[in-house]
Each structure stands twice: as structure tokens, then as C-alpha cells.
Amino acid sequence: MIAQVLSYGLTLLMALVTVANVMNTVSSGVTLRTRDFAVLRSLGMSGKDFRRLRIIESLGYSSKAVLPAVALSFGVLAVLGYFLPDTTVVMPWIEAACAAAAVFLIVLVTEKAAFDRIMRGNTADEIRTENI
């Protein structure tokens, strides 16, 4: 029982660190492109277009992370099933779908927060300043 508690605790800690890392990376990427988004706004890009851009970027980031990971994990399970014929290897479709949905949700929420912070700023000041 102690080993289970420790393993679940370690898994939870690793998941929290991973989520924080994803949030930091996505937020920093959006913040570094503040000037580019300000130029797009000054050229007439509407809020609806920014929402569409945010959703497309979120789907792109998430799919680049989820698709290779799911393919690799199912490949490993298939190899294990081939080399361990006495054991039953079950493909965890529901767990994979839940993990993929969590990744999509985390990236979407992070991008929304970063884009909302950018949209509150002054377009002219953002164009003048250079992010380093």
C-alpha cells in the first residue's frame, strides 16, 4: 500500500510539473509574438479571427504532442503483446482519449489566457516595443 501511495504521488507530481512546463512554454511563445499579433491587429484582424487563430494553434500544438505519443505507446504495447504471448495486452483506448483531451484542454486554456493578456494591451505600444 505504501508503494502504491508513493507511486501515485510521484505520478501526480510529474503530471503537475509537466502541466506547468507546457503552460510556461505556450505562454512564453505567445508573449514573444506579441509584436506580431499587434501588427495583425493594426492591419484589421478582428477578435473572431484571433479566436480562430488561437484554436488552430492550440490544435496544432496539441496534435504534434499527442499523435506521436499515442502511436509510440500503442506500438510499444503491440511489441509487448507479441513478445509476451502468455499475457493479455489490452489497448487503453479510453485512457488515451482522456489524456489527449486533457492535453488539448490544457493548451487551449493556456493559449486563451496568453491571448487575452495580449488583447488587453495597447497596439501602438506593442508595435513600438521589441520583446527580447
Side-chain angles (χ1 to χ4, degrees):
M1 176 149 165
I2 293 174
Q4 270 187 326
V5 170
L6 289 175
S7 66
Y8 285 133
L10 182 63
T11 302
L12 180 65
L13 183 64
M14 286 177 17
L16 290 174
V17 168
T18 302
V19 168
N21 189 17
V22 167
M23 292 175 75
N24 186 27
T25 302
V26 170
S27 179
S28 296
V30 171
T31 303
L32 286 173
R33 296 184 320 196
T34 301
R35 186 170 189 255
D36 301 335
F37 295 134
V39 169
L40 289 173
R41 258 193 311 185
S42 70
L43 292 174
M45 193 171 197
S46 67
K48 182 179 178 182
D49 293 332
F50 267 105
R51 270 193 305 278
R52 190 174 322 146
L53 176 70
R54 183 182 73 228
I55 291 170
I56 290 171
E57 279 190 2
S58 297
L59 290 175
Y61 290 153
S62 301
S63 62
K64 285 180 187 177
V66 168
L67 293 178
V70 168
L72 181 67
S73 64
F74 284 162
V76 168
L77 282 175
V79 169
L80 282 175
Y82 179 76
F83 285 114
L84 301 172
D86 296 337
T87 60
T88 303
V89 177
V90 178
M91 298 290 185
W93 297 107
I94 295 173
E95 290 83 358
C98 289
V103 169
F104 283 112
L105 184 67
I106 290 167
V107 172
L108 184 66
V109 167
T110 304
E111 283 226 358
K112 180 181 178 355
F115 268 98
D116 287 348
R117 189 173 56 242
I118 287 173
M119 294 300 282
R120 278 186 259 129
N122 186 354
T123 304
D125 290 339
E126 291 171 3
I127 291 174
R128 274 188 237 127
T129 60
E130 184 69 30
N131 290 333
I132 296 176

Short mmCIF file of all heavy atoms in Angstrom, two decimals, residues 16-67:
data_model
loop_
_atom_site.label_atom_id
_atom_site.label_comp_id
_atom_site.label_asym_id
_atom_site.label_seq_id
_atom_site.Cartn_x
_atom_site.Cartn_y
_atom_site.Cartn_z
N LEU A 16 1.94 17.30 -12.63
CA LEU A 16 1.86 18.73 -12.33
C LEU A 16 3.04 19.50 -12.90
O LEU A 16 2.88 20.61 -13.43
CB LEU A 16 1.77 18.95 -10.82
CG LEU A 16 0.45 18.52 -10.17
CD1 LEU A 16 0.55 18.66 -8.65
CD2 LEU A 16 -0.70 19.33 -10.71
N VAL A 17 4.24 18.93 -12.81
CA VAL A 17 5.42 19.58 -13.39
C VAL A 17 5.28 19.67 -14.92
O VAL A 17 5.62 20.69 -15.53
CB VAL A 17 6.70 18.82 -12.98
CG1 VAL A 17 7.89 19.28 -13.79
CG2 VAL A 17 6.97 19.00 -11.50
N THR A 18 4.76 18.62 -15.52
CA THR A 18 4.56 18.62 -16.98
C THR A 18 3.55 19.68 -17.39
O THR A 18 3.77 20.42 -18.36
CB THR A 18 4.10 17.23 -17.44
OG1 THR A 18 5.07 16.27 -17.04
CG2 THR A 18 3.92 17.19 -18.93
N VAL A 19 2.45 19.79 -16.67
CA VAL A 19 1.43 20.80 -16.98
C VAL A 19 2.02 22.20 -16.83
O VAL A 19 1.80 23.07 -17.68
CB VAL A 19 0.18 20.60 -16.10
CG1 VAL A 19 -0.75 21.80 -16.20
CG2 VAL A 19 -0.55 19.34 -16.49
N ALA A 20 2.77 22.42 -15.78
CA ALA A 20 3.40 23.74 -15.57
C ALA A 20 4.39 24.04 -16.70
O ALA A 20 4.46 25.18 -17.17
CB ALA A 20 4.10 23.78 -14.22
N ASN A 21 5.12 23.05 -17.14
CA ASN A 21 6.07 23.24 -18.23
C ASN A 21 5.36 23.58 -19.54
O ASN A 21 5.77 24.49 -20.27
CB ASN A 21 6.93 21.98 -18.40
CG ASN A 21 8.06 22.18 -19.36
OD1 ASN A 21 8.43 23.30 -19.68
ND2 ASN A 21 8.62 21.08 -19.81
N VAL A 22 4.28 22.88 -19.83
CA VAL A 22 3.51 23.16 -21.04
C VAL A 22 2.92 24.56 -20.98
O VAL A 22 2.99 25.32 -21.96
CB VAL A 22 2.41 22.10 -21.24
CG1 VAL A 22 1.40 22.53 -22.30
CG2 VAL A 22 3.01 20.76 -21.60
N MET A 23 2.36 24.93 -19.84
CA MET A 23 1.78 26.26 -19.70
C MET A 23 2.84 27.34 -19.87
O MET A 23 2.60 28.35 -20.55
CB MET A 23 1.09 26.38 -18.34
CG MET A 23 -0.14 25.52 -18.21
SD MET A 23 -0.86 25.56 -16.58
CE MET A 23 -1.64 27.16 -16.61
N ASN A 24 4.01 27.15 -19.30
CA ASN A 24 5.08 28.13 -19.41
C ASN A 24 5.56 28.24 -20.85
O ASN A 24 5.77 29.35 -21.36
CB ASN A 24 6.24 27.74 -18.49
CG ASN A 24 7.31 28.79 -18.44
OD1 ASN A 24 7.06 29.96 -18.66
ND2 ASN A 24 8.52 28.36 -18.17
N THR A 25 5.73 27.13 -21.52
CA THR A 25 6.22 27.15 -22.90
C THR A 25 5.23 27.83 -23.84
O THR A 25 5.61 28.68 -24.65
CB THR A 25 6.50 25.71 -23.37
OG1 THR A 25 7.44 25.10 -22.49
CG2 THR A 25 7.03 25.69 -24.78
N VAL A 26 3.97 27.47 -23.74
CA VAL A 26 2.96 28.04 -24.63
C VAL A 26 2.78 29.53 -24.34
O VAL A 26 2.73 30.36 -25.26
CB VAL A 26 1.62 27.29 -24.49
CG1 VAL A 26 0.51 28.00 -25.21
CG2 VAL A 26 1.76 25.87 -25.01
N SER A 27 2.72 29.89 -23.07
CA SER A 27 2.56 31.29 -22.70
C SER A 27 3.76 32.13 -23.16
O SER A 27 3.58 33.25 -23.67
CB SER A 27 2.37 31.40 -21.20
OG SER A 27 2.24 32.74 -20.82
N SER A 28 4.95 31.60 -23.00
CA SER A 28 6.15 32.34 -23.44
C SER A 28 6.17 32.50 -24.95
O SER A 28 6.54 33.56 -25.47
CB SER A 28 7.41 31.61 -22.99
OG SER A 28 7.50 31.58 -21.60
N GLY A 29 5.77 31.46 -25.67
CA GLY A 29 5.73 31.55 -27.13
C GLY A 29 4.76 32.60 -27.61
O GLY A 29 5.06 33.36 -28.54
N VAL A 30 3.61 32.68 -26.98
CA VAL A 30 2.61 33.69 -27.37
C VAL A 30 3.10 35.08 -26.98
O VAL A 30 2.96 36.04 -27.75
CB VAL A 30 1.24 33.37 -26.74
CG1 VAL A 30 0.27 34.51 -26.94
CG2 VAL A 30 0.68 32.09 -27.33
N THR A 31 3.71 35.20 -25.81
CA THR A 31 4.20 36.50 -25.36
C THR A 31 5.31 37.03 -26.26
O THR A 31 5.38 38.23 -26.54
CB THR A 31 4.69 36.41 -23.90
OG1 THR A 31 3.62 35.93 -23.09
CG2 THR A 31 5.14 37.75 -23.38
N LEU A 32 6.17 36.14 -26.71
CA LEU A 32 7.26 36.58 -27.60
C LEU A 32 6.74 37.05 -28.96
O LEU A 32 7.42 37.82 -29.64
CB LEU A 32 8.27 35.45 -27.79
CG LEU A 32 9.17 35.18 -26.60
CD1 LEU A 32 10.02 33.93 -26.86
CD2 LEU A 32 10.05 36.38 -26.31
N ARG A 33 5.56 36.62 -29.34
CA ARG A 33 4.99 37.06 -30.61
C ARG A 33 3.98 38.19 -30.44
O ARG A 33 3.18 38.46 -31.33
CB ARG A 33 4.32 35.88 -31.29
CG ARG A 33 5.32 34.80 -31.67
CD ARG A 33 4.67 33.70 -32.40
NE ARG A 33 3.37 33.41 -31.80
CZ ARG A 33 2.69 32.31 -32.02
NH1 ARG A 33 3.15 31.41 -32.79
NH2 ARG A 33 1.52 32.11 -31.44
N THR A 34 4.05 38.88 -29.31
CA THR A 34 3.11 39.98 -29.03
C THR A 34 3.17 41.04 -30.12
O THR A 34 2.13 41.53 -30.58
CB THR A 34 3.44 40.62 -27.67
OG1 THR A 34 3.34 39.62 -26.67
CG2 THR A 34 2.50 41.75 -27.35
N ARG A 35 4.36 41.36 -30.55
CA ARG A 35 4.52 42.40 -31.58
C ARG A 35 3.86 41.95 -32.89
O ARG A 35 3.21 42.75 -33.56
CB ARG A 35 6.00 42.68 -31.79
CG ARG A 35 6.27 43.81 -32.72
CD ARG A 35 7.75 44.19 -32.67
NE ARG A 35 7.97 45.41 -33.39
CZ ARG A 35 8.53 45.46 -34.59
NH1 ARG A 35 8.95 44.36 -35.17
NH2 ARG A 35 8.71 46.61 -35.18
N ASP A 36 4.03 40.69 -33.25
CA ASP A 36 3.42 40.18 -34.48
C ASP A 36 1.90 40.25 -34.40
O ASP A 36 1.24 40.63 -35.38
CB ASP A 36 3.84 38.73 -34.73
CG ASP A 36 5.34 38.57 -34.85
OD1 ASP A 36 6.01 39.55 -35.22
OD2 ASP A 36 5.84 37.46 -34.56
N PHE A 37 1.35 39.89 -33.26
CA PHE A 37 -0.11 39.95 -33.10
C PHE A 37 -0.60 41.39 -33.12
O PHE A 37 -1.69 41.68 -33.62
CB PHE A 37 -0.54 39.25 -31.82
CG PHE A 37 -0.26 37.77 -31.81
CD1 PHE A 37 0.31 37.17 -30.72
CD2 PHE A 37 -0.55 37.00 -32.92
CE1 PHE A 37 0.57 35.81 -30.71
CE2 PHE A 37 -0.30 35.63 -32.92
CZ PHE A 37 0.26 35.04 -31.81
N ALA A 38 0.20 42.31 -32.57
CA ALA A 38 -0.18 43.72 -32.60
C ALA A 38 -0.21 44.23 -34.04
O ALA A 38 -1.10 45.01 -34.41
CB ALA A 38 0.79 44.54 -31.76
N VAL A 39 0.74 43.80 -34.84
CA VAL A 39 0.75 44.20 -36.26
C VAL A 39 -0.49 43.64 -36.96
O VAL A 39 -1.15 44.35 -37.74
CB VAL A 39 2.04 43.73 -36.95
CG1 VAL A 39 1.96 43.90 -38.45
CG2 VAL A 39 3.24 44.47 -36.41
N LEU A 40 -0.83 42.40 -36.68
CA LEU A 40 -2.03 41.82 -37.28
C LEU A 40 -3.29 42.58 -36.86
O LEU A 40 -4.19 42.81 -37.67
CB LEU A 40 -2.16 40.34 -36.90
CG LEU A 40 -1.15 39.39 -37.53
CD1 LEU A 40 -1.28 38.01 -36.94
CD2 LEU A 40 -1.34 39.35 -39.04
N ARG A 41 -3.33 42.96 -35.58
CA ARG A 41 -4.49 43.75 -35.10
C ARG A 41 -4.55 45.09 -35.79
O ARG A 41 -5.63 45.57 -36.14
CB ARG A 41 -4.40 43.95 -33.59
CG ARG A 41 -5.29 43.05 -32.82
CD ARG A 41 -5.42 43.48 -31.41
NE ARG A 41 -4.12 43.76 -30.82
CZ ARG A 41 -3.91 44.07 -29.57
NH1 ARG A 41 -4.91 44.18 -28.76
NH2 ARG A 41 -2.71 44.28 -29.10
N SER A 42 -3.39 45.73 -35.99
CA SER A 42 -3.39 47.05 -36.62
C SER A 42 -3.78 46.97 -38.10
O SER A 42 -4.25 47.94 -38.67
CB SER A 42 -2.02 47.71 -36.47
OG SER A 42 -1.07 47.04 -37.28
N LEU A 43 -3.58 45.79 -38.69
CA LEU A 43 -3.97 45.61 -40.09
C LEU A 43 -5.43 45.22 -40.25
O LEU A 43 -5.91 45.04 -41.36
CB LEU A 43 -3.08 44.55 -40.75
CG LEU A 43 -1.62 44.95 -40.92
CD1 LEU A 43 -0.81 43.79 -41.45
CD2 LEU A 43 -1.50 46.15 -41.84
N GLY A 44 -6.15 45.06 -39.12
CA GLY A 44 -7.59 44.83 -39.19
C GLY A 44 -8.05 43.44 -38.81
O GLY A 44 -9.20 43.09 -39.11
N MET A 45 -7.22 42.65 -38.18
CA MET A 45 -7.64 41.32 -37.75
C MET A 45 -8.61 41.47 -36.58
O MET A 45 -8.31 42.12 -35.60
CB MET A 45 -6.43 40.49 -37.35
CG MET A 45 -6.72 39.03 -37.18
SD MET A 45 -5.17 38.15 -36.95
CE MET A 45 -5.69 36.52 -37.29
N SER A 46 -9.77 40.84 -36.70
CA SER A 46 -10.82 41.01 -35.68
C SER A 46 -10.62 40.02 -34.54
O SER A 46 -9.79 39.12 -34.60
CB SER A 46 -12.19 40.79 -36.32
OG SER A 46 -12.33 39.44 -36.71
N GLY A 47 -11.41 40.23 -33.49
CA GLY A 47 -11.36 39.33 -32.34
C GLY A 47 -11.77 37.91 -32.71
O GLY A 47 -11.23 36.94 -32.19
N LYS A 48 -12.73 37.79 -33.63
CA LYS A 48 -13.15 36.47 -34.09
C LYS A 48 -12.01 35.75 -34.82
O LYS A 48 -11.81 34.55 -34.63
CB LYS A 48 -14.35 36.62 -35.02
CG LYS A 48 -14.92 35.33 -35.53
CD LYS A 48 -16.12 35.58 -36.42
CE LYS A 48 -16.65 34.27 -36.97
NZ LYS A 48 -17.79 34.49 -37.86
N ASP A 49 -11.26 36.51 -35.61
CA ASP A 49 -10.11 35.92 -36.30
C ASP A 49 -9.03 35.49 -35.31
O ASP A 49 -8.37 34.46 -35.50
CB ASP A 49 -9.53 36.91 -37.31
CG ASP A 49 -10.48 37.18 -38.45
OD1 ASP A 49 -11.30 36.29 -38.77
OD2 ASP A 49 -10.41 38.29 -39.03
N PHE A 50 -8.83 36.27 -34.25
CA PHE A 50 -7.86 35.89 -33.22
C PHE A 50 -8.30 34.62 -32.49
O PHE A 50 -7.47 33.78 -32.17
CB PHE A 50 -7.64 37.03 -32.22
CG PHE A 50 -6.50 37.92 -32.57
CD1 PHE A 50 -6.72 39.17 -33.09
CD2 PHE A 50 -5.20 37.49 -32.40
CE1 PHE A 50 -5.66 39.99 -33.43
CE2 PHE A 50 -4.15 38.29 -32.74
CZ PHE A 50 -4.37 39.55 -33.26
N ARG A 51 -9.59 34.50 -32.24
CA ARG A 51 -10.09 33.27 -31.60
C ARG A 51 -9.83 32.07 -32.51
O ARG A 51 -9.40 31.01 -32.05
CB ARG A 51 -11.58 33.38 -31.31
CG ARG A 51 -11.89 33.96 -29.96
CD ARG A 51 -13.36 33.76 -29.60
NE ARG A 51 -14.29 34.28 -30.59
CZ ARG A 51 -14.67 35.55 -30.68
NH1 ARG A 51 -14.20 36.43 -29.83
NH2 ARG A 51 -15.53 35.94 -31.60
N ARG A 52 -10.09 32.23 -33.78
CA ARG A 52 -9.86 31.15 -34.74
C ARG A 52 -8.37 30.81 -34.79
O ARG A 52 -8.00 29.63 -34.80
CB ARG A 52 -10.36 31.57 -36.11
CG ARG A 52 -10.38 30.42 -37.09
CD ARG A 52 -10.99 30.77 -38.41
NE ARG A 52 -12.13 31.65 -38.27
CZ ARG A 52 -12.45 32.60 -39.15
NH1 ARG A 52 -11.74 32.76 -40.23
NH2 ARG A 52 -13.50 33.37 -38.96
N LEU A 53 -7.51 31.84 -34.79
CA LEU A 53 -6.07 31.63 -34.78
C LEU A 53 -5.64 30.88 -33.53
O LEU A 53 -4.83 29.95 -33.59
CB LEU A 53 -5.34 32.97 -34.87
CG LEU A 53 -3.83 32.95 -34.78
CD1 LEU A 53 -3.23 32.31 -36.01
CD2 LEU A 53 -3.29 34.34 -34.58
N ARG A 54 -6.19 31.27 -32.39
CA ARG A 54 -5.85 30.61 -31.12
C ARG A 54 -6.25 29.15 -31.14
O ARG A 54 -5.49 28.28 -30.72
CB ARG A 54 -6.54 31.34 -29.97
CG ARG A 54 -6.19 30.78 -28.61
CD ARG A 54 -6.93 31.47 -27.50
NE ARG A 54 -8.34 31.06 -27.52
CZ ARG A 54 -9.36 31.89 -27.46
NH1 ARG A 54 -9.18 33.17 -27.37
NH2 ARG A 54 -10.59 31.44 -27.47
N ILE A 55 -7.43 28.86 -31.64
CA ILE A 55 -7.91 27.47 -31.67
C ILE A 55 -7.06 26.64 -32.64
O ILE A 55 -6.67 25.51 -32.32
CB ILE A 55 -9.40 27.42 -32.04
CG1 ILE A 55 -10.23 28.00 -30.90
CG2 ILE A 55 -9.85 26.01 -32.37
CD1 ILE A 55 -11.67 28.23 -31.23
N ILE A 56 -6.75 27.18 -33.79
CA ILE A 56 -5.93 26.44 -34.76
C ILE A 56 -4.54 26.18 -34.20
O ILE A 56 -3.99 25.08 -34.33
CB ILE A 56 -5.88 27.20 -36.10
CG1 ILE A 56 -7.25 27.14 -36.78
CG2 ILE A 56 -4.80 26.62 -37.01
CD1 ILE A 56 -7.37 28.03 -37.99
N GLU A 57 -3.94 27.17 -33.55
CA GLU A 57 -2.63 26.97 -32.95
C GLU A 57 -2.69 25.94 -31.83
O GLU A 57 -1.79 25.10 -31.71
CB GLU A 57 -2.08 28.29 -32.39
CG GLU A 57 -1.47 29.16 -33.43
CD GLU A 57 -0.72 30.33 -32.83
OE1 GLU A 57 -0.66 30.44 -31.59
OE2 GLU A 57 -0.19 31.13 -33.60
N SER A 58 -3.72 25.98 -31.03
CA SER A 58 -3.86 25.00 -29.94
C SER A 58 -3.99 23.59 -30.50
O SER A 58 -3.36 22.66 -29.98
CB SER A 58 -5.09 25.32 -29.09
OG SER A 58 -4.95 26.55 -28.46
N LEU A 59 -4.79 23.44 -31.53
CA LEU A 59 -4.93 22.12 -32.14
C LEU A 59 -3.62 21.65 -32.75
O LEU A 59 -3.27 20.47 -32.68
CB LEU A 59 -6.04 22.15 -33.20
CG LEU A 59 -7.46 22.30 -32.68
CD1 LEU A 59 -8.44 22.45 -33.83
CD2 LEU A 59 -7.84 21.13 -31.80
N GLY A 60 -2.88 22.58 -33.35
CA GLY A 60 -1.59 22.21 -33.94
C GLY A 60 -0.59 21.78 -32.89
O GLY A 60 0.07 20.74 -33.03
N TYR A 61 -0.45 22.58 -31.83
CA TYR A 61 0.49 22.22 -30.76
C TYR A 61 0.11 20.90 -30.12
O TYR A 61 0.95 20.04 -29.88
CB TYR A 61 0.51 23.30 -29.67
CG TYR A 61 1.16 24.60 -30.05
CD1 TYR A 61 0.77 25.78 -29.44
CD2 TYR A 61 2.14 24.67 -31.01
CE1 TYR A 61 1.35 26.99 -29.77
CE2 TYR A 61 2.73 25.86 -31.36
CZ TYR A 61 2.33 27.02 -30.74
OH TYR A 61 2.91 28.21 -31.06
N SER A 62 -1.18 20.73 -29.83
CA SER A 62 -1.63 19.53 -29.14
C SER A 62 -1.47 18.29 -30.01
O SER A 62 -1.03 17.25 -29.53
CB SER A 62 -3.09 19.68 -28.73
OG SER A 62 -3.24 20.78 -27.89
N SER A 63 -1.83 18.41 -31.27
CA SER A 63 -1.73 17.23 -32.14
C SER A 63 -0.28 16.84 -32.38
O SER A 63 0.03 15.65 -32.51
CB SER A 63 -2.45 17.47 -33.46
OG SER A 63 -1.86 18.53 -34.17
N LYS A 64 0.64 17.82 -32.41
CA LYS A 64 2.06 17.49 -32.55
C LYS A 64 2.58 16.75 -31.33
O LYS A 64 3.56 16.01 -31.43
CB LYS A 64 2.89 18.76 -32.75
CG LYS A 64 2.76 19.35 -34.12
CD LYS A 64 3.59 20.60 -34.24
CE LYS A 64 3.34 21.31 -35.54
NZ LYS A 64 4.09 22.57 -35.63
N ALA A 65 1.95 16.92 -30.20
CA ALA A 65 2.38 16.21 -28.99
C ALA A 65 1.65 14.89 -28.83
O ALA A 65 2.25 13.88 -28.47
CB ALA A 65 2.12 17.09 -27.76
N VAL A 66 0.35 14.88 -29.12
CA VAL A 66 -0.46 13.70 -28.82
C VAL A 66 -0.28 12.58 -29.84
O VAL A 66 -0.12 11.42 -29.46
CB VAL A 66 -1.95 14.10 -28.72
CG1 VAL A 66 -2.85 12.89 -28.70
CG2 VAL A 66 -2.18 14.93 -27.48
N LEU A 67 -0.30 12.90 -31.11
CA LEU A 67 -0.26 11.85 -32.13
C LEU A 67 1.00 10.98 -32.06
O LEU A 67 0.88 9.75 -32.06
CB LEU A 67 -0.44 12.46 -33.52
CG LEU A 67 -1.82 13.08 -33.77
CD1 LEU A 67 -1.88 13.70 -35.15
CD2 LEU A 67 -2.92 12.05 -33.60
#
